[in-house]
Amino acid sequence: QARGAFGETQLADIVKDGLPESAYDFQFTLSNGKRADCIIRLPKPPGPVVIDSKFPLEAYQSFRRSKDEKEAQLALKQMQSDTLKHAQDIASKYILQNETAEAALMFLPSESIFSEIHLRLPQVIEKCRSLRVYPVSPNTMSLTLNTVRAIMRDVQMREQADLIQKEVETLLIDINRLMNRVGKLRSHFDQASKDIDLIEKSTNKIGNRSEKISDLDLSNHEKIKDTNVLPDSN
């Protein structure tokens, strides 16, 4: 329990610093009833990635306390056995078809453990990779989260691109509708302009007739009567 709490605390601090709250869950229960220490909510592919933080520290601590080469070799052998068993457990519990990503992460709570395994037990690293379980240290976990953030940004950009495309398509429809309405309005203006021209023409003729009437002397009443005045057809 102490081992698990130590790793979980470190992992939680790194994940909280590296990702938005909506991107992860702690103590997440999978469909098989197994509870993952942490799950990173990546979209498919690859899908949610499980991180286990309960790395077995006993053999490593024995290795650090070893007084001679024999004790060191015995501790390394135990470390190899414990690490491989832990990787197999992670693979069987936390890699679920159609539910999680096809890989999981094994969190090692210190850079020294990560270095010792890579340096002294490279065969363990290869075996873990064949199980699709990848050991990560605090530093490499932080780098991994940088990649996760980049993936999430890419997904958000694609989602925004789809939204922008839909908005542009709607905008084009609105523009076409507006142009049609402007065309109709222009035709109304053109007709109104023609009507105004005709009205002005008739007004001018009426004005001219009025001036002629005003210029006539009342004594010329008979002459006016004889004048042939036709109505304006316009």
Side-chain angles (χ1 to χ4, degrees):
Q1 291 177 351
R3 178 190 74 201
F6 177 65
E8 287 173 13
T9 300
Q10 273 197 306
L11 177 62
D13 289 342
I14 294 170
V15 171
K16 289 177 182 178
D17 287 343
L19 294 176
E21 190 173 348
S22 60
Y24 60 83
D25 275 308
F26 296 113
Q27 300 303 313
F28 182 81
T29 302
L30 300 172
S31 62
N32 60 2
K34 303 300 181 182
R35 183 174 294 179
D37 296 325
C38 179
I39 189 166
I40 305 299
R41 295 185 174 280
L42 280 174
K44 293 183 179 180
V49 177
V50 171
I51 309 172
D52 182 274
S53 61
K54 295 184 289 292
F55 182 77
L57 294 171
E58 293 83 357
Y60 173 74
Q61 291 168 342
S62 296
F63 173 74
R64 294 298 300 269
R65 291 194 301 264
S66 60
K67 299 176 182 178
D68 52 39
E69 183 64 20
K70 182 178 180 181
E71 287 185 3
Q73 291 301 317
L74 287 173
L76 283 174
K77 185 176 180 181
Q78 187 63 45
M79 190 190 306
Q80 175 175 319
S81 176
D82 291 348
T83 304
L84 289 178
K85 183 179 184 305
H86 189 54
Q88 290 167 350
D89 288 342
I90 292 173
S92 63
K93 293 177 181 179
Y94 303 135
I95 299 178
L96 305 180
Q97 189 173 7
N98 299 324
E99 184 174 352
T100 69
E102 295 182 352
L105 301 180
M106 178 197 298
F107 181 71
L108 310 181
S110 78
E111 299 300 326
S112 58
I113 299 174
F114 186 80
S115 298
E116 292 290 0
I117 291 178
H118 276 76
L119 179 63
R120 300 178 184 274
L121 302 171
Q123 69 277 13
V124 171
I125 298 300
E126 291 301 319
K127 181 61 177 178
C128 287
R129 289 174 178 170
S130 70
L131 293 169
R132 294 172 297 176
V133 174
Y134 297 92
V136 290
S137 68
N139 286 342
T140 54
M141 184 74 247
S142 297
L143 294 173
T144 300
L145 294 183
N146 287 338
T147 303
V148 169
R149 283 199 305 273
I151 293 172
M152 290 180 171
R153 281 196 300 267
D154 184 60
V155 170
Q156 290 175 348
M157 289 178 64
R158 287 202 302 269
E159 290 174 349
Q160 292 297 320
D162 292 340
L163 178 61
I164 291 171
Q165 183 177 359
K166 291 178 182 178
E167 290 297 329
V168 169
E169 291 173 354
T170 302
L171 178 62
L172 291 175
I173 293 173
D174 289 340
I175 289 174
N176 287 333
R177 187 182 294 117
L178 175 63
M179 294 305 295
N180 289 334
R181 290 173 179 173
V182 169
K184 291 179 181 179
L185 183 60
R186 181 180 289 112
S187 67
H188 292 321
F189 277 128
D190 291 343
Q191 184 61 47
S193 179
K194 292 178 181 178
D195 292 340
I196 290 172
D197 288 341
L198 292 174
I199 290 171
E200 289 178 345
K201 184 177 180 182
S202 296
T203 301
N204 290 333
K205 287 184 177 181
I206 291 171
N208 292 334
R209 296 291 185 188
S210 297
E211 290 177 359
K212 289 180 180 179
I213 292 173
S214 297
D215 292 340
L216 291 175
D217 195 334
L218 291 177
S219 61
N220 293 331
H221 176 68
E222 294 297 329
K223 187 176 179 180
I224 294 174
K225 185 182 292 185
D226 294 336
T227 302
N228 185 17
V229 179
L230 296 177
D232 182 8
S233 61
N234 292 324

